[in-house]
Amino acid sequence: MLSHAEENYLKAIYHLSQADKSDVSTNAIAEVLQTKPASVSDMIKKLSEKGFIYYQKYKGVNVSPKGKKEALQIIRKHRLWEVFLVDKLQFKWDEVHDIAEQLEHIKSPILTQKLDKFLGYPRVDPHGDPIPDERGEIVIGKKVPLSEITEGKTVLVTGVEDSDSAFLLHLDKIKIALGTKVIVKEKNSFDSSMQIELSDKQVIFISKQVADNLLVTE
């Protein structure tokens, strides 16, 4: 049985290794978890002794097959709880991350199975991130930033690059959510801002920063 802290470290190491496709440094883990490198070193030793990670001095750390399987189950629980909080309890998508961080540590496979079934076996969470299945398999669909879409194209909003609450609140304000259909009407060559048309035919302007952080599929 892993402690809550050990699960948090394992999940962080997995996410960092996926982002960079390489071994993860102690400093990178410390930055993500907002702790001291010395504390990270102690935890790396514990997880290594339990067989959840590989560690080479001066090269970094990465998850073992056992660690990857465990990390994906933690991520699966987190994302299922986010779906539950948004779809069934009407939380907003910017409110659920911290609550799901607490719920992901519940150690009941039966509860996770029943939650998945109750929700209708969702494939993505409220932020568009894929949910691993019971076997830990994860399907990542092809998404691109809205800023890369050419004029005249119609796309569907399927995720966000930045799930910061301030950004999600901004999207709520301009009425953009997962599943929103967007037509790129015009791209401004001066500052790369965009004029887009939404599902309700409303035409709005968005900045390059917003377009960079909105993930879409054609």
Side-chain angles (χ1 to χ4, degrees):
M1 293 278 280
L2 291 170
S3 68
H4 288 192
E6 288 171 331
E7 289 186 345
N8 287 337
Y9 270 85
L10 190 59
K11 187 176 70 167
I13 293 167
Y14 173 78
H15 279 312
L16 287 167
S17 68
Q18 291 299 296
D20 295 336
K21 301 298 180 184
S22 63
D23 291 342
V24 180
S25 71
T26 299
N27 287 337
I29 300 169
E31 184 177 349
V32 167
L33 295 177
Q34 297 183 331
T35 189
K36 297 177 181 179
S39 299
V40 175
S41 297
D42 290 341
M43 183 60 76
I44 285 174
K45 184 178 179 181
K46 290 180 183 179
L47 291 172
S48 180
E49 288 173 351
K50 292 183 177 183
F52 288 101
I53 62 171
Y54 297 131
Y55 173 67
Q56 284 186 293
K57 196 171 183 179
Y58 306 120
K59 287 191 175 181
V61 60
N62 214 323
V63 291
S64 65
K66 177 181 176 181
K68 179 180 179 181
K69 181 179 179 181
E70 187 69 25
L72 284 167
Q73 288 306 311
I74 299 165
I75 292 166
R76 168 175 162 80
K77 288 185 286 183
H78 181 103
R79 293 177 179 173
L80 283 172
W81 281 118
E82 286 197 335
V83 174
F84 174 79
L85 290 165
V86 170
D87 288 2
K88 304 303 178 181
L89 299 186
Q90 282 73 58
F91 279 87
K92 293 182 179 179
W93 62 345
D94 62 291
E95 299 174 325
V96 296
H97 179 75
D98 289 344
I99 303 172
E101 285 277 313
Q102 301 172 54
L103 293 168
E104 71 185 28
H105 298 296
I106 298 174
K107 302 181 190 301
S108 173
I110 294 175
L111 175 61
T112 306
Q113 291 168 9
K114 287 185 176 291
L115 178 63
D116 194 17
K117 182 179 179 181
F118 175 69
L119 295 171
Y121 305 103
R123 299 188 65 181
V124 295
D125 73 6
H127 308 109
D129 294 317
I131 299 173
D133 65 17
E134 197 170 351
R135 298 181 301 277
E137 295 179 2
I138 189 165
V139 179
I140 302 175
K142 185 178 180 182
K143 302 174 186 177
V144 297
L146 179 59
S147 55
E148 295 183 9
I149 302 300
T150 56
E151 289 183 6
K153 290 273 190 178
T154 301
V155 294
L156 204 64
V157 176
T158 51
V160 290
E161 186 69 36
D162 181 0
S163 57
D164 178 78
S165 61
F167 178 60
L168 298 179
L169 285 170
H170 178 68
L171 293 183
D172 284 340
K173 186 176 180 180
I174 60 177
K175 295 182 171 53
I176 292 179
L178 295 188
T180 299
K181 185 175 73 171
V182 171
I183 302 173
V184 177
K185 303 293 286 184
E186 183 180 344
K187 298 182 77 170
N188 190 323
S189 59
F190 173 67
D191 60 3
S192 298
S193 61
M194 303 176 77
Q195 183 188 55
I196 60 173
E197 181 180 309
L198 304 181
S199 305
D200 61 0
K201 303 300 182 182
Q202 180 186 7
V203 176
I204 63 172
F205 282 92
I206 60 172
S207 67
K208 182 180 186 299
Q209 184 178 6
V210 170
D212 283 341
N213 282 308
L214 272 176
L215 300 178
V216 299
T217 54
E218 293 188 44

